[in-house]
Amino acid sequence: MVNLVEGEKSREIIRRSREFMDILTQDVDVLPMVADRGEGVYVWDVDGKKYIDFSSGFAVVSLGHSNPKVIEAIEKQARKLVHFPLADFYHELGASVAEKLSKSCPGGGNKKVVFTNSGAEANEVAIKLARSSTKRGRILAFYGGFHGRTMGSLSLTASKSVQQLGFFPTMPGVIHAPFPNPFRNVWNIDGYEDPEELINRAISFIEDVIFKAYPPEEFAAVFIEPIQGEGGYVVPPRGFFHELFKIARKYGILIMDDEVQMGIGRTGKMWAIENYSVYPDSIQFGKAIANGIPLGGVIHRGDFGFVTLGQHSSTFGGNLIALSVAEVVLEETPKLLPNVERVGMHLGRRLSELMEEFEIIGDSRGIGLARAIEIVKPGKGKTPDPKKRDELLRECFKRGLLLIGCGESSVRIIPPLNVEIATVDRAVDILMEALNTVTE
Ligand SMILES: Cc1ncc(COP(=O)(O)O)c(C=O)c1O
């Protein structure tokens, strides 16, 4: 076990973690990373080895590790007031962050914000909002989608069966539709060559199969991810959401846009849904909003919401330290969007070159700095090769590049939003070396 671990300190912490912690999702034989400190795009392990971190703490530290402005905000707020519950009282930070988030949303109009502690909880709130304001019970979601692991959000999640293992029954009333994945879909359509056909199939499945079996007027909401994150960084064909939104509007179904992973600048727009020029009824956020301090929430259209005092609340939702960092994130992120677009294009080009060179890369996809490559068996087919993917992650790790998987056999490449081209080039060079090793 853990023969990848070179250092004594790392080995000992891994041993104790595995003895006393019960929710480890990472196989220790793939990425035995024991972090000590971070700075910008780099992290060091407890034995002093330095890594380029292109996982950004699962798309959380978008301004980089130990960002000085973030540290300053935390320190300043901690000296003033750590916690004061916004459920019952008021604070300038709550008003200010909510106002900024509300104004950041596409589509204009009056928006309101509910603060939560995590992405899963944001989706729980979105479920409650949709059900209580439409007085309907059913919800539509997509295969491959990930929305969290609490019972309500888990019922929307259909990414990996292990995430459901042993927890049935989850919340009733959720129906899943196939997501139009251009590379790999249930209809075996090459969606890069024929996006229209792929969109038609996905939409008619909803209209002609799901809505024939279940009354569309009983659906409260459809939950979407603008790019499926945990499902493999899957970007649907551009026109898909336009068509989906049309049928949702036709039946009065709310569109709840889960931007927990793709929001806050990751795709080069503040919100990933802006890439498709459509306007959802809510945006769920989390992860990068406070650069590592737990915070999430829902921004929803102001003409629906919680109407009765005490109908929803949270002790920590909108914690003051988290909100003070969110102020920094909301100030800094718009300035970084041009960098995300420029460096993201460069990263995309370099990954496409790798795909030309290595047969085991079946697909390279993404927008901005939300990128992934999918590892398949050699032969230009599409058979996923999760073992090879893990081998690749390990080889990158050995060489000091931290990457994480997604989907069945993909590798996500998600550096902080302020990453420089030179660092991207160094990381891709390491990835190339690792690809050479695993294909030898
Ligand atoms: C799209 C999406 N929604 C929700 C969640 C759940 O967020 P959290 O882990 O903060 O509960 C995640 C986490 O990966 C996510 O990617």
Side-chain angles (χ1 to χ4, degrees):
M1 194 200 71
V2 293
N3 52 8
L4 266 182
V5 186
E6 289 156 17
E8 265 314 303
K9 286 189 192 163
S10 296
R11 206 185 300 274
E12 181 53 15
I13 292 172
I14 289 172
R15 189 194 63 71
R16 284 172 44 234
S17 301
R18 299 200 77 84
E19 185 173 351
F20 297 112
M21 289 176 69
D22 193 23
I23 47 162
L24 301 169
T25 52
Q26 184 58 63
D27 183 346
V28 72
D29 291 330
V30 181
L31 292 173
M33 172 67 187
V34 185
D36 179 35
R37 68 188 177 90
E39 198 180 311
V41 68
Y42 300 106
V43 278
W44 284 260
D45 73 13
V46 284
D47 293 295
K49 183 172 165 185
K50 181 180 176 182
Y51 298 80
I52 298 176
D53 181 6
F54 270 25
S55 71
S56 298
F58 275 106
V60 168
V61 284
S62 284
L63 302 184
H65 292 288
S66 302
N67 182 296
K69 288 185 176 160
V70 170
I71 296 172
E72 193 190 333
I74 294 172
E75 280 180 355
K76 206 166 135 200
Q77 190 54 43
R79 284 180 206 291
K80 235 172 142 183
L81 190 63
V82 169
H83 172 72
F84 212 69
L86 297 191
D88 286 294
F89 304 108
Y90 299 89
H91 191 281
E92 159 62 22
L93 279 169
S96 164
V97 173
E99 181 177 0
K100 288 192 175 102
L101 282 168
S102 158
K103 290 182 175 162
S104 76
C105 278
N110 167 36
K111 307 266 190 345
K112 286 187 186 295
V113 177
V114 181
F115 289 116
T116 68
N117 304 283
S118 68
E121 193 190 338
N123 284 316
E124 294 289 340
V125 168
I127 294 168
K128 284 174 141 187
L129 280 166
R131 281 186 159 178
S132 64
S133 59
T134 61
K135 313 266 188 300
R136 300 175 177 188
R138 296 184 193 276
I139 291 176
L140 185 66
F142 286 93
Y143 286 113
F146 185 94
H147 299 283
R149 293 170 184 267
T150 51
M151 277 307 194
S153 65
L154 181 63
S155 67
L156 307 174
T157 291
S159 175
K160 296 193 181 95
S161 67
V162 68
Q163 292 156 355
Q164 301 277 346
L165 183 66
F167 303 134
F168 185 79
T170 49
M171 187 183 77
V174 181
I175 313 290
H176 291 92
F179 193 70
N181 177 343
F183 179 63
R184 184 191 294 292
N185 52 73
V186 291
W187 305 283
N188 285 327
I189 292 168
D190 183 341
Y192 293 120
E193 291 198 345
D194 201 350
E196 289 303 317
E197 179 60 14
L198 184 55
I199 292 170
N200 286 341
R201 295 289 185 104
I203 294 296
S204 31
F205 191 94
I206 296 171
E207 285 262 58
D208 301 337
V209 179
I210 294 180
F211 288 171
K212 291 265 156 57
Y214 309 97
E217 61 276 12
E218 286 189 0
F219 282 78
V222 52
F223 276 70
I224 58 162
E225 284 174 272
I227 298 175
Q228 286 194 333
E230 296 306 302
Y233 277 55
V234 178
V235 186
R238 292 273 161 163
F240 171 64
F241 286 124
H242 183 74
E243 296 305 315
L244 177 71
F245 280 37
K246 260 200 325 215
I247 55 169
R249 298 286 177 234
K250 180 164 124 192
Y251 297 114
I253 298 167
L254 294 174
I255 298 143
M256 317 305 267
D257 171 23
D258 182 345
E259 299 244 2
V260 168
Q261 186 146 175
M262 294 301 156
I264 335 261
R266 177 125 313 267
T267 67
K269 311 262 188 232
M270 185 62 189
W271 303 106
I273 200 69
E274 292 172 54
N275 290 291
Y276 309 97
S277 310
V278 286
Y279 306 116
D281 298 303
S282 78
I283 288 181
Q284 293 84 260
F285 60 91
K287 287 191 185 278
I289 184 64
N291 211 61
I293 308 293
L295 181 67
V298 183
I299 314 163
H300 65 86
R301 260 184 26 221
D303 57 349
F304 67 89
F306 296 123
V307 287
T308 308
L309 217 55
Q311 198 180 6
H312 181 81
S313 181
S314 160
T315 300
F316 291 118
N319 165 267
L320 298 182
I321 305 262
L323 289 177
S324 72
V325 179
E327 283 269 45
V328 174
V329 169
L330 291 171
E331 178 79 30
E332 295 303 308
T333 303
K335 296 185 223 160
L336 292 172
L337 298 181
N339 191 63
V340 176
E341 210 162 304
R342 190 175 60 90
V343 183
M345 294 270 273
H346 179 78
L347 174 58
R349 261 196 308 274
R350 290 226 46 198
L351 294 174
S352 297
E353 284 163 17
L354 288 186
M355 186 166 93
E356 291 295 307
E357 195 174 331
F358 293 93
E359 254 196 328
I360 65 162
I361 303 180
D363 192 23
S364 161
R365 54 186 175 244
I367 306 178
L369 289 173
R371 302 253 162 207
I373 52 173
E374 183 158 339
I375 306 302
V376 294
K377 302 251 187 213
K380 286 290 168 205
K382 293 187 178 183
T383 314
D385 196 344
K387 267 200 178 142
K388 189 63 80 184
R389 188 271 312 272
D390 287 353
E391 239 182 89
L392 182 63
L393 292 178
R394 250 188 329 258
E395 289 302 323
C396 289
F397 176 77
K398 279 195 213 161
R399 291 169 171 77
L401 171 64
L402 198 58
L403 293 174
I404 46 178
C406 60
E408 193 177 350
S409 65
S410 298
V411 175
R412 69 186 114 182
I413 300 129
I414 46 172
L417 307 187
N418 49 13
V419 70
E420 291 172 1
I421 281 188
T423 318
V424 163
D425 281 337
R426 221 163 342 122
V428 176
D429 289 346
I430 296 174
L431 178 60
M432 189 157 56
E433 267 180 42
L435 280 159
N436 275 319
T437 303
V438 301
T439 51
E440 256 165 19

